[in-house]
Amino acid sequence: MSQRHPVLTMTAISKIFPGVRALDGVDFRLFPGEVHALMGENGAGKSTLIKVLTGVYGTDAGTITLDGQQVSFAGPMQATAAGVSTVYQEVNLCPNLSVAENIFIGREPRRLGAVNWREMRRRAQELLARIDLHIDVTEPLGSYSLAVQQMVAIARAVDVNARVLILDEPTSSLDADEVAQLLRIMRQLRDDGIAIVFVTHFLDQVYGIADRITVLRNGRLVGEYPTAELPQIALVEKMIGKELDALERLDSEAGRDRAAITAGQPLVAADGLGRTGSVAPFSLTIHAGEVVGLAGLLGSGRTEVARLFFGADRADQGRLAVDGEPTAIRNPVAAIGRGVAFCSENRRTEGLVGELSVRENIILAMQATRGWLRPVPRRKQDELVERYIKALSIRPADPDMPVRNLSGGNQQKVLLARWLITEPRLLILDEPTRGIDIGAKTEIQRLVAQLSDGGMAVLFISAELEEVLRLSHKVVVMRDRQLVAQLDNDDTLDADRVMRAIASGARQEELEKA
Amino acid sequence: MSTVKARLAPVTGHRLFWPLVVLVVLLAANTVYRPSFLSVELKNGQLYGSLIDIVRLSAPLILVALGMSLVIATGGIDLSVGSVAAVSGAIACLYISEQPDQNSLGAVLTALAIAFGIALLLGAWNGILVAGIGIQPIIATLILMVAGRGLAQLITSGQIITINSEPYKTIGVGHLLTLPFAIIIALAVTLLVAVLTRRTALGMIIEAVGGNAEASRLAGIRSRRITLLVYVVSAACAAIAGFMMTANVSSADGNAVGLWVELDAILAVVIGGTSLAGGRFYLSGTIVGALIIQTLTTSVYAMNIDPQTTLLFKAVVVIAVCLIQAPAFRARFRRRQAPTAPPAAPVEKQKEQVPA
Ligand SMILES: Nc1ncnc2c1ncn2[C@@H]1O[C@H](COP(=O)(O)OP(=O)(O)OP(=O)(O)O)[C@@H](O)[C@H]1O
Ligand SMILES: [Mg+2]
């Protein structure tokens, strides 16, 4: 491979943000027909390297050559025109435009100068069918889940005639099936000679597809390695810059005595709770100290269940009881008052206020419950914020940095911190480890286990079955917006059985309930 | 060269840097035209001078713009401030004009209280339309902008109400502790709004609502109440401005009081660095913005610029201020100057919206 010429070379790239050296003399080479994984911890500089390449940011030093020509793009549009197509880490399409419009924005099919809408819809449908996505392309993009939006962004990027395709954590909210689809498409494109940059925190995906790996740490290049010559453990050590023992795997944390936990009165009990057009009525109890995992495919209604418990959407059927008392949770204020917290999967639109600082974002929910007349005392703010910056290793550890300047993974941690400081009784986590590096992920999983040991109830949603199985006492399976199974996480439960429940929706699984 | 630049960066990069530069340039231009411009003298224990005049005359605009800052920070806008000023001025003047003794302090205070109370109701009306019913702020407040003008004319029966009340006049042209009373009122209200927003959590919560309404809702913020509150505060500020404007001339003209002040206020807020999209707001910037606009108006008269070109002249300066402040414009300018200089962070933010 190396005897061929690289399609893209970045040499000695540096990028400085006020107070942060995001990239420091980084080299990067990309060859045609390869999948090149760009790896590193949260905040290592992966997204920044990509944005420097596509002209979102200017460089402070270094050169970029594409096909032997030195280039310096003024913006992503120019980069796309030059054959560098990118899916950025945060889906950045227009939620109020239709799916089809989003795919073809800037390059609409035309006839006699006017946009040919029919053609556009047809081609959008075709394109999405290629990745097995069958949705109404005339609906606004914003009405679909984050995962669908991510798929649409990918479809769009794949469709432009690109020589270089860059995917920044494209799989972070996808399920196994969609990931498989995506990897299949990536292989296809690679075989056509397209060079692909792939950023992800999922090591198995890297080892499943990448030909070579470049590792960044703290804005510096650690090295470039053929995948075959870099065992997984060595890769992790290069990423975190120390020996792996600090990261020894969590045992099954759910091994604790379930019978004792579920003996008493449930903390929350949903009885036939539902919302027309969103989730079919379901019944579910969660006890203090219990971790309930929610599994299911994309669009199966996991997030919708969570939103009903939090009052983000209002239930129109059924009853909800907290501590055995019937309660209507009509809005988030009511939910928070009952000790429920909800960490949304969509941190950018439903979680953080990008302009506000890390500190302000962390104390926001706590402040909201106190009301604006009673500000959280500065000393208490400092103490809480400092504690959680440390506990979740948020970097840079600067409480006054606007949160939008943080890397994706670090933003996620800020959102988590916001809810942890409210000391909720029921913590709803929707994809809490999305975009989080392996080190921090283990940290967060350990934290969840600790919190539930301390008596907190947790509703844990994740596309990663392995994670759900490791943490939950009970796994609830959703399919087609219905709750189809509740499985005790005992010794007999494994990923296979959950997968079968997801696939078949076998109601008899419920009978196995102890 | 580059170290000098680096050392100056915290100064030139400050939000207030360019607005202040513009203000200083305007003042300098006036001084060149009329060297006595900067002189301030003490006569009968009262300060006099063009500078004092500018600050005094800008007091109503400062008040209106303070309220407008909060509204804009929530992502809204309040077009009705001029009409609210007219209504409250008219009510106060009408009440005083019907008193046997127009110089009675009690009567004036009652007039102010009634007018102020009605202004609060008008603000609440705006807030309910926006937060309760969900009408877009620009439309919701447009209703009161038009209706309020009519209401003011109804109150004055289409006439100009003239009063002869010393206590009321004081609001506009009186002095206290050597300073014009209007300046003291503006200062007091500024302090009040600053304490209200920055000593409590109100400012942050307003910024959260304006920065990301859905995220704020899901964080448990009662954003409707906050929205209602900022429209009430805005109307309150407009009412005080209305008292000042009518007190200045001891008369209320429902047609003219506060006409177009909403536009000046919006400009002042924008010049001060607060984004019309909502989010972070800067009260100090707003005040500098208001001073710039008043200085402009004063300069136009002082320099005998043809009144017909006044508006054009104003527009040119405002465009200049906005351009200097626009990150994209500055980035282009800087890049041409020094191709290797690192552009400041917000520059990239504006260039293309590709977050994290
Ligand atoms: N616009 C910005 N202003 C200031 N600092 C920034 C900005 N963008 C990124 N940074 C900083 O640059 C560093 C690298 O961020 P980057 O987004 O490249 O990380 P990443 O490797 O993509 O991490 P993740 O895995 O979490 O997505 C971080 O410390 C981040 O805080
Ligand atoms: Mg990133």
Side-chain angles (χ1 to χ4, degrees):
Chain A
M1 182 168 294
S2 44
Q3 62 270 31
R4 274 188 288 159
H5 287 294
V7 55
L8 173 80
T9 0
M10 302 177 78
T11 319
I13 302 287
S14 290
K15 175 73 202 167
I16 301 164
F17 293 112
V20 186
R21 188 173 275 272
L23 293 173
D24 188 3
V26 173
D27 298 327
F28 182 72
R29 302 183 303 163
L30 184 66
F31 290 92
E34 75 165 343
V35 174
H36 194 137
L38 184 56
M39 306 290 294
E41 289 181 291
N42 293 135
K46 305 175 297 289
S47 299
T48 305
L49 188 69
I50 288 167
K51 289 185 197 168
V52 163
L53 166 62
T54 59
V56 176
Y57 298 148
T59 52
D60 292 326
T63 54
I64 304 172
T65 55
L66 187 66
D67 282 335
Q69 299 261 325
Q70 186 164 341
V71 291
S72 160
F73 299 121
M77 293 287 257
Q78 239 182 54
T80 314
V84 179
S85 179
T86 313
V87 177
Y88 293 94
Q89 184 169 4
E90 306 285 339
V91 176
N92 62 322
L93 302 176
C94 310
N96 49 344
L97 294 187
S98 76
V99 171
E101 283 166 325
N102 266 297
I103 294 179
F104 288 103
I105 196 166
R107 51 193 184 95
E108 299 85 352
R110 285 173 189 279
R111 210 177 57 185
L112 304 174
V115 174
N116 185 345
W117 296 101
R118 192 180 310 163
E119 171 75 4
M120 185 155 115
R121 283 195 291 272
R122 193 186 58 75
R123 276 178 43 195
Q125 231 137 27
E126 226 173 68
L127 203 62
L128 293 179
R130 262 175 57 192
I131 52 174
D132 252 357
L133 193 58
H134 301 280
I135 55 172
D136 183 353
V137 297
T138 58
E139 286 286 313
L141 183 73
S143 63
Y144 290 105
S145 71
L146 200 61
V148 171
Q149 296 184 25
Q150 210 168 39
M151 297 289 277
V152 170
I154 293 167
R156 175 187 155 82
V158 167
D159 185 52
V160 289
N161 259 329
R163 281 168 304 159
V164 175
L165 176 64
I166 303 173
L167 303 168
D168 193 353
E169 301 198 27
T171 55
S172 56
S173 52
L174 301 188
D175 291 309
D177 275 358
E178 289 97 37
V179 170
Q181 288 288 355
L182 179 63
L183 295 188
R184 188 176 54 76
I185 292 171
M186 283 167 66
R187 281 193 198 98
Q188 215 174 357
L189 292 170
R190 168 177 68 186
D191 296 343
D192 295 343
I194 292 175
I196 301 176
V197 180
F198 183 40
V199 180
T200 184
H201 291 294
F202 296 103
L203 295 189
D204 48 337
Q205 291 171 14
V206 171
Y207 282 90
I209 193 163
D211 302 298
R212 282 184 317 134
I213 299 174
T214 290
V215 180
L216 300 182
R217 189 170 67 234
N218 284 332
R220 297 230 174 83
L221 177 69
V222 176
E224 182 199 283
Y225 317 89
T227 311
E229 291 168 24
L230 187 69
Q232 200 152 328
I233 297 187
L235 169 62
V236 174
E237 284 177 358
K238 295 210 184 308
M239 282 164 55
I240 63 174
K242 54 185 175 209
E243 303 269 309
L244 194 58
D245 56 293
L247 263 181
E248 95 285 4
R249 280 184 57 131
L250 279 186
D251 310 325
S252 174
E253 293 285 343
R256 284 153 300 135
D257 187 5
R258 169 139 204 270
I261 291 171
T262 55
Q265 190 180 51
L267 176 65
V268 287
D271 180 16
L273 200 68
R275 179 178 157 91
T276 319
S278 171
V279 221
F282 64 91
S283 299
L284 177 63
T285 56
I286 309 175
H287 290 79
E290 187 184 21
V291 182
V292 175
L294 257 184
L297 297 179
L298 177 171
S300 59
R302 293 171 306 191
T303 298
E304 287 76 0
V305 166
R307 289 177 67 92
L308 286 189
F309 275 111
F310 187 64
D313 295 330
R314 207 177 283 192
D316 56 12
Q317 299 149 51
R319 283 183 305 273
L320 191 67
V322 179
D323 292 325
E325 264 178 55
T327 330
I329 291 189
R330 290 219 177 75
N331 52 41
V333 178
I336 296 168
R338 297 260 181 298
V340 183
F342 172 52
C343 201
S344 164
E345 65 172 329
N346 201 340
R347 61 177 170 253
R348 192 152 76 88
T349 56
E350 295 178 357
L352 299 168
V353 185
E355 229 182 329
L356 297 192
S357 66
V358 170
R359 172 207 309 277
E360 289 166 316
N361 270 288
I362 290 180
I363 64 158
L364 194 61
M366 176 184 261
Q367 185 63 66
T369 45
R370 292 170 65 104
W372 60 269
L373 274 170
R374 293 197 307 134
V376 182
R378 185 64 180 218
R379 183 145 2 115
K380 186 162 176 206
Q381 287 186 21
D382 285 339
E383 183 198 307
L384 283 170
V385 170
E386 205 169 297
R387 168 143 40 103
Y388 279 94
I389 284 181
K390 200 172 288 163
L392 302 176
S393 53
I394 295 172
R395 269 171 287 170
D398 174 2
D400 296 314
M401 174 83 81
V403 85
R404 66 163 172 237
N405 288 355
L406 262 57
S407 79
N410 283 301
Q411 291 184 3
Q412 184 68 41
K413 297 179 202 166
V414 171
L415 186 57
L416 196 58
R418 171 191 297 171
W419 291 111
L420 290 180
I421 68 167
T422 64
E423 298 179 351
R425 299 169 69 206
L426 168 62
L427 177 62
I428 305 173
L429 297 171
D430 195 355
E431 303 280 358
T433 57
R434 176 174 167 244
I436 289 215
D437 66 41
I438 20 170
K441 191 179 223 161
T442 331
E443 258 339 289
I444 288 176
Q445 292 171 354
R446 185 169 294 146
L447 194 72
V448 168
Q450 258 173 25
L451 290 170
S452 81
D453 271 347
M456 193 184 287
V458 181
L459 182 61
F460 190 90
I461 305 178
S462 172
E464 274 175 88
L465 262 189
E466 187 207 353
E467 194 177 51
V468 172
L469 278 171
R470 194 183 313 156
L471 288 169
S472 328
H473 299 102
K474 174 164 85 177
V475 179
V476 173
V477 179
M478 300 291 299
R479 194 168 65 109
D480 290 337
R481 301 182 174 265
Q482 287 182 346
L483 193 160
V484 292
Q486 303 199 25
L487 312 167
D488 272 347
N489 196 0
D490 49 26
D491 297 339
T492 64
L493 191 65
D494 54 17
D496 263 3
R497 242 180 82 205
V498 179
M499 280 308 288
R500 255 184 294 134
I502 289 175
S504 66
R507 277 192 176 277
Q508 65 269 27
E509 292 271 1
E510 244 168 311
L511 302 176
E512 293 174 27
K513 228 172 88 182
Chain B
M1 168 71 195
S2 67
T3 55
V4 174
K5 227 180 205 169
R7 209 164 303 156
L8 280 179
V11 180
T12 57
H14 194 276
R15 285 178 286 100
L16 283 181
F17 179 72
W18 287 110
L20 281 174
V21 165
V22 171
L23 187 57
V24 168
V25 167
L26 280 175
L27 295 177
N30 273 292
T31 316
V32 168
Y33 188 79
R34 194 162 52 86
S36 67
F37 178 77
L38 287 179
S39 69
V40 173
E41 39 185 311
L42 195 63
K43 263 190 266 171
N44 307 333
Q46 299 174 354
L47 287 174
Y48 284 99
S50 306
L51 281 183
I52 303 286
D53 277 343
I54 288 179
V55 183
R56 180 176 65 87
L57 291 172
S58 58
L61 179 57
I62 288 178
L63 290 177
V64 173
L66 282 175
M68 187 70 81
S69 301
L70 302 190
V71 173
I72 287 181
T74 62
I77 199 147
D78 188 352
L79 296 183
S80 71
V81 283
S83 299
V84 171
V87 169
S88 34
I91 293 176
C93 288
L94 180 70
Y95 183 85
I96 293 172
S97 72
E98 285 172 351
Q99 299 307 306
D101 177 12
Q102 296 197 2
N103 283 324
S104 135
L105 186 62
V108 170
L109 288 180
T110 316
L112 293 179
I114 294 173
F116 194 70
I118 288 178
L120 295 186
L121 287 181
L122 293 178
W125 161 264
N126 276 335
I128 288 168
L129 289 190
V130 174
I133 306 183
I135 301 180
Q136 287 194 355
I138 196 165
I139 302 298
T141 58
L142 189 66
I143 296 175
L144 188 57
M145 178 187 181
V146 177
R149 239 344 122 197
L151 192 61
Q153 280 166 16
L154 265 179
I155 294 168
T156 61
S157 330
Q159 313 278 309
I160 296 178
I161 300 181
T162 314
I163 55 172
N164 194 352
S165 163
E166 276 310 314
Y168 193 71
K169 203 172 159 193
T170 308
I171 301 173
V173 295
H175 277 74
L176 185 72
L177 302 172
T178 75
L179 276 178
F181 201 53
I183 296 184
I184 292 181
I185 294 178
L187 263 175
V189 174
T190 306
L191 269 179
L192 193 70
V193 174
V195 168
L196 187 70
T197 53
R198 296 304 182 196
R199 288 282 139 169
T200 69
L202 183 63
M204 182 189 93
I205 287 181
I206 288 175
E207 289 171 341
V209 170
N212 189 340
E214 179 63 4
S216 304
R217 183 179 82 94
L218 292 180
I221 289 174
R222 302 168 192 260
S223 46
R224 285 188 187 174
R225 288 191 195 174
I226 299 294
T227 309
L228 183 75
L229 182 66
V230 295
Y231 283 94
V232 172
V233 170
S234 174
C237 290
I240 302 176
F243 301 148
M244 260 181 211
M245 295 176 197
T246 47
N248 253 332
V249 289
S250 280
S251 67
D253 176 354
N255 249 330
V257 173
L259 198 62
W260 305 133
V261 72
E262 61 280 343
L263 299 185
D264 278 349
I266 293 168
L267 270 179
V269 173
V270 171
I271 290 175
T274 301
S275 158
L276 278 178
R280 285 269 190 237
F281 66 93
Y282 306 101
L283 297 179
S284 50
T286 295
I287 287 168
V288 175
L291 288 174
I292 288 179
I293 290 174
Q294 186 56 48
T295 311
L296 260 179
T297 314
T298 308
S299 317
V300 167
Y301 290 119
M303 296 172 153
N304 288 325
I305 297 172
D306 180 4
Q308 278 150 350
T309 58
T310 305
L311 288 177
L312 224 65
F313 178 69
K314 228 171 163 176
V316 169
V317 176
V318 168
I319 290 175
V321 179
C322 291
L323 269 186
I324 298 177
Q325 288 205 78
F329 180 80
R330 256 153 67 189
R332 191 163 298 175
F333 191 65
R334 204 169 311 171
R335 210 167 271 184
R336 208 167 296 157
Q337 265 188 337
T340 51
V347 174
E348 291 110 9
K349 197 68 206 164
Q350 291 289 309
K351 213 170 98 187
E352 248 173 272
Q353 290 288 332
V354 184

